[in-house]
């Protein structure tokens, strides 16, 4: 499970409290197709098994830092690309 706290900005109710209209939890991946591991596998320079890519993702320092909210989007992209030796540009 993810440890990252997500701050939601919603419309202001007028009394200083934020009010969200919808908070969606798609824990089973029914509404949003997560193709992350499948897509990531195509960018990794060496052949890799599905179980290994999942293990590396879960043990990744750059992923953990991003999930915890201690790295910016840009830092995460740069760190992840370097960590996984991807031939990508973070821009």
């Amino acid at each position: 499970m993810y440890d990252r706290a997500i701050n939601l900005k919603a419309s202001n109710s007028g009394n200083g409290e934020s009010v969200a209209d919808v908070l969606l939890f798609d824990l089973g991946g029914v509404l949003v197709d997560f193709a992350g591991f499948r897509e990531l596998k195509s960018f990794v320079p060496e052949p890799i098994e599905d179980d290994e890519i999942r293990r590396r993702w879960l043990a990744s320092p750059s992923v953990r830092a991003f999930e915890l909210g201690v790295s910016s989007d840009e830092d995460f992209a740069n760190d992840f690309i370097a960590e996984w030796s991807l031939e990508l540009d973070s821009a």
Side-chain angles (χ1 to χ4, degrees), residues 7 11-12 14 19 24 26 28-29 35 40 47 52 56 60 64 67 70 75-76 82-83 86:
N7 293 321
S11 60
N12 192 306
V19 178
L24 175 67
D26 185 25
L40 179 57
E52 177 63 11
R56 280 185 62 188
S60 167
R64 175 59 70 195
E67 288 177 340
V70 297
D75 288 341
F76 168 68
E83 178 184 332
L86 303 179

Side-chain angles (χ1 to χ4, degrees), residues 1-2 24-32 34:
M1 206 46 64
Y2 296 121
L24 175 67
F25 291 94
D26 185 25
L27 302 178
V30 175
L31 301 174
V32 178
F34 175 70

